Amino acid sequence: MKEISTAIEISIDAKSTEEIVRQIRRVIGGTIQEHWGEYTLVVNNLNARGSIRFITFDWGVNLLEYDITFLKDYVLVMDASEYNPIHFTYCLTGHCGHRFGYQKEIHTLEQFQSVIITSRDGGYNYGYLPKEEKLEINVIQIVRKQFLKKRLNNVDQLNQKLYEVFLDADHEKAFAYFGTFNLKLADQINALRKIKQKGMIRVLQIEGMIYQILSMHIQQHDRAIKHELLSTTLLKRELKMVRDLAKKIIKDVAKEYSLAQLSEETGLSQAKLQEGFKLLYARTVTEYIRYVRLEAARDLIRTSDMNISEIVYSIGLSSRSYFSKIFKEKYNISPNELKKIKQNYQ
């Protein structure tokens, strides 16, 4: 990614995530709305269109999410003297750039890439935000001193490199990890963005999902350190096709699927489809289809008044006895037993 000389600088010398967003607002405009501790900067002018939201938790973790298109090139010039968390960053849509103040080269944060960055005390981070590029970026910020005080945080479980980063509470060293692309993170972050509950329930659900996303970043880094990342012959666009196909199957579980038909539909060979599903979902195509059908069936048993035969038909199966067999194998309870439990609680 090349530096653009005409980019507009936004100076950030904040002491918190909230101050970062307010300092961005001074340059690009917009209004900040608050509800249940969830703040959203909404912008619709000649500088940008979209929103930036943030939530601050009392255990040293903050969520910062961009869902915005900048209409001019901007560069965030961030002074790390006062506020220097560990940034666990993921570009769901688009791309952006980063460099430390002592570097000349700009590193691109690619779409679907897991990135972990923190600066050293007194250093600078430069964040490059290109114009006319739809950005959906998820950033989980860890404030180390607060985070380490939380009793449940067993950072000694981390690999040595991340362990040193977390314990560097005085920010003596910079750290950057640009990982391979990770579509499982995309699914988890999409689920976070689609939470529909309101009030306290919404905040609690967001907090729980932040833990999951954070653990996925850490697990990927751990596998990279141990050289355990799964090799694949598939290109990023091909893995994205597999992911899109998996989402399509979830939306229409009753449809009759075959490996040959899915291969023809996507243009991917049957071998590539199998490889992609095993990599992303740890299942073959057939196992994945059966898995989503059983999940859909369990949801229908819990939430609908349909009888078991109707549910079997609705998920694309024809044999009730076969359905009961695979359902009990997976959930250790028969469909009828689960339905009786639901009826007893009504």
Side-chain angles (χ1 to χ4, degrees):
M1 186 173 185
K2 294 182 179 179
E3 185 166 0
I4 300 172
S5 58
T6 57
I8 299 170
E9 289 192 0
I10 302 178
S11 296
I12 305 291
D13 58 358
K15 297 181 181 180
S16 67
T17 302
E18 179 177 354
E19 283 188 27
I20 289 175
V21 176
R22 293 191 182 279
Q23 289 179 353
I24 292 174
R25 174 178 175 258
R26 290 173 194 165
V27 177
I28 70 171
T31 58
I32 294 179
Q33 305 165 357
E34 184 272 337
H35 190 68
W36 280 93
E38 184 175 348
Y39 294 80
T40 306
L41 168 62
V42 180
V43 189
N44 186 10
N45 55 34
L46 296 177
N47 297 318
R49 290 192 301 267
S51 64
I52 303 173
R53 74 161 174 161
F54 67 92
I55 306 175
T56 299
F57 298 96
D58 60 6
W59 41 282
V61 174
N62 305 311
L63 172 67
L64 178 63
E65 284 199 325
Y66 295 81
D67 186 356
I68 193 168
T69 301
F70 292 100
L71 303 180
K72 302 172 184 176
D73 289 305
Y74 288 97
V75 54
L76 302 180
V77 183
M78 296 168 280
D79 184 348
S81 300
E82 298 292 341
Y83 187 61
N84 184 24
I86 307 171
H87 303 265
F88 292 82
T89 304
Y90 189 86
C91 289
L92 191 64
T93 302
H95 69 276
C96 56
H98 173 272
R99 71 175 176 88
F100 293 118
Y102 56 84
Q103 295 175 323
K104 291 185 179 180
E105 181 183 359
I106 299 173
H107 297 275
T108 301
L109 282 69
E110 300 280 3
Q111 185 183 24
F112 304 136
Q113 186 179 28
S114 170
V115 177
I116 307 173
I117 293 172
T118 189
S119 186
R120 61 192 180 200
D121 187 35
Y124 280 83
N125 286 307
Y126 289 77
Y128 294 87
L129 307 170
K131 68 178 180 180
E132 304 295 346
E133 176 83 9
K134 170 68 173 175
L135 296 176
E136 292 182 338
I137 304 174
N138 176 282
V139 186
I140 297 174
Q141 299 176 332
I142 303 291
V143 182
R144 278 164 278 197
K145 287 184 178 179
Q146 287 179 257
F147 189 77
L148 292 171
K149 289 178 182 177
K150 188 173 175 62
R151 187 173 298 173
L152 297 178
N153 292 330
N154 297 317
V155 295
D156 57 329
Q157 308 274 325
L158 301 171
N159 63 65
Q160 186 62 32
K161 284 194 175 182
L162 270 186
Y163 178 71
E164 291 171 358
V165 173
F166 271 81
L167 290 188
D168 183 17
D170 294 324
H171 313 155
E172 295 178 352
K173 296 180 181 179
F175 175 85
Y177 163 71
F178 289 78
T180 56
F181 52 89
N182 184 327
L183 292 179
K184 291 182 181 179
L185 263 170
D187 290 337
Q188 196 67 36
I189 291 169
N190 264 320
L192 169 66
R193 296 167 69 90
K194 291 178 181 177
I195 291 175
K196 295 180 180 179
Q197 281 75 9
K198 297 181 180 180
M200 182 59 67
I201 294 176
R202 174 180 173 83
V203 174
L204 289 173
Q205 285 194 336
I206 289 173
E207 184 174 4
M209 293 193 76
I210 287 174
Y211 265 122
Q212 294 178 39
I213 294 167
L214 182 61
S215 69
M216 291 172 75
H217 277 289
I218 292 171
Q219 286 168 9
Q220 174 160 332
H221 181 267
D222 194 53
R223 289 196 299 269
I225 292 296
K226 296 176 180 177
H227 305 289
E228 293 178 357
L229 289 174
L230 297 176
S231 60
T232 178
T233 62
L234 275 69
L235 303 173
K236 182 166 71 170
R237 64 173 178 80
E238 292 174 328
L239 280 172
K240 188 175 183 300
M241 290 170 66
V242 171
R243 175 171 169 264
D244 290 342
L245 177 60
K247 291 166 70 175
K248 186 176 180 179
I249 292 170
I250 290 175
K251 290 180 180 179
D252 191 2
V253 296
K255 185 176 177 179
E256 185 176 344
Y257 297 100
S258 72
L259 187 57
Q261 169 253 321
L262 293 173
S263 175
E264 183 178 350
E265 180 182 328
T266 59
L268 296 175
S269 69
Q270 294 185 26
K272 282 194 171 186
L273 276 180
Q274 295 285 32
E275 182 182 347
F277 271 86
K278 286 178 182 178
L279 180 67
L280 297 180
Y281 304 106
R283 294 177 173 89
T284 64
V285 175
T286 300
E287 288 168 345
Y288 179 82
I289 293 169
R290 184 172 67 177
Y291 164 76
V292 297
R293 283 175 169 169
L294 289 175
E295 288 288 290
R298 185 172 63 166
D299 288 343
L300 287 171
I301 293 172
R302 288 172 168 173
T303 62
S304 77
D305 294 325
M306 297 168 66
N307 62 43
I308 301 300
S309 295
E310 289 171 330
I311 290 172
V312 171
Y313 177 77
S314 74
I315 63 169
L317 296 179
S318 57
S319 170
R320 176 168 172 168
S321 60
Y322 171 71
F323 166 72
S324 297
K325 175 179 178 291
I326 62 174
F327 190 95
K328 187 163 186 177
E329 285 175 353
K330 178 171 177 57
Y331 300 114
N332 202 30
I333 187 173
S334 73
N336 281 324
E337 288 170 337
L338 182 59
K339 194 165 186 65
K340 286 178 183 179
I341 291 172
K342 175 207 168 186
Q343 291 170 342
N344 290 336
Y345 278 93
Q346 287 182 334

